[in-house]
Amino acid sequence: MSNRVVQEPTLLLLTALADAPRHGYAIMQEVQMISQGRVKMRTGTLYGALDRLLGQGLIEVHEEAVVDGRARRTYALTKGGRAVLAEEAERLAATAREAVRRLNLGGVTA
Amino acid sequence: MSNRVVQEPTLLLLTALADAPRHGYAIMQEVQMISQGRVKMRTGTLYGALDRLLGQGLIEVHEEAVVDGRARRTYALTKGGRAVLAEEAERLAATAREAVRRLNLGGVTA
DNA sequence: CAACATATGTCGGCGAACGACCTATAGGCA
DNA sequence: TGCCTATAGGTCGTTCGCCGACATATGTTG
């Protein structure tokens, strides 16, 4: 019953991976760009969300390299993640449309 | 920097009040309808959110009647609430558009 | 050398949402 | 009559995603 599928920061994360695989830092920058600088995703949110999404099978590790003894992972959307993102995007768009419709109904002639 | 303006359940609540003032129970039903039965708002969420939104000045008490010794309040959007809802709806629509755009970019030829 | 960007992560805490429960009346139905 | 459901409004403890701050390491530029 619960909606709690994905929240906005998470949705932006998925969106950031929609066109190409990216690594963590790049995702943060991409999220900022997508949201026109409004949402600055923190690392705490990022890596927490990545773990969660990996567990949910919405994203996967695309490539894993070790650079200077540090893991460098790039993540990619899975088919499931792609489907979820498409669904959520449609749902969001529908909600937004409904909000606008109602604002116009009750707004002017209230 | 933080996005956290309003979350989805809250946004649906505001949307439910966009065309006409409503009381709590009616809001719950309306939210269900708007979301096509996907989001079933609980009373815990509802009244918590109403208090919060009243405090933020996004909604106001429209009418207050006492029926059978019980308070019956109807809530309405304030101008501020209306503005916030309009903004958020636009933002959501933009995010959804970007998600779809990127899905089409990377989806087929990946 | 200091400062910033790149890059990856951990941890404590907050707050919205959730879920379960409570009260109360009216109506359907077995 | 007793039970369930819908209407209507409300409280409270818990969960969980997000936030903010911190830690670490390298490369670059002033």
Side-chain angles (χ1 to χ4, degrees), chain B residues 2-4 23 25 29 43-44 47 72-73:
Chain B
S2 305
N3 30 328
R4 303 253 127 263
H23 61 272
Y25 195 81
Q29 296 174 308
T43 53
Y47 294 105
R72 168 81 51 93
R73 281 184 217 96

Side-chain angles (χ1 to χ4, degrees), chain A residues 2-4 23-25 43 47 70 72-73:
Chain A
S2 303
N3 30 329
R4 299 249 134 266
H23 61 271
Y25 196 81
T43 54
Y47 294 105
R70 295 173 69 85
R72 169 78 52 89
R73 281 184 217 95

Side-chain angles (χ1 to χ4, degrees), chain B residues 14 17-18 20-23 27 50 53-54 57-63 73-79 81-82:
Chain B
L14 293 177
L17 292 177
R22 285 190 170 82
H23 61 272
I27 293 173
L50 285 177
L53 293 170
L54 281 172
L58 300 185
I59 62 173
E60 63 190 350
V61 175
H62 174 69
E63 202 177 13
R73 281 184 217 96
T74 54
Y75 301 90
L77 276 187
T78 61
K79 266 181 193 159
R82 197 168 284 282

Side-chain angles (χ1 to χ4, degrees), chain A residues 21-37:
Chain A
R22 286 190 170 82
H23 61 271
Y25 196 81
I27 293 173
M28 285 192 285
Q29 296 174 308
E30 205 65 17
V31 164
Q32 242 182 114
M33 232 172 293
I34 296 169
S35 63
Q36 288 128 79

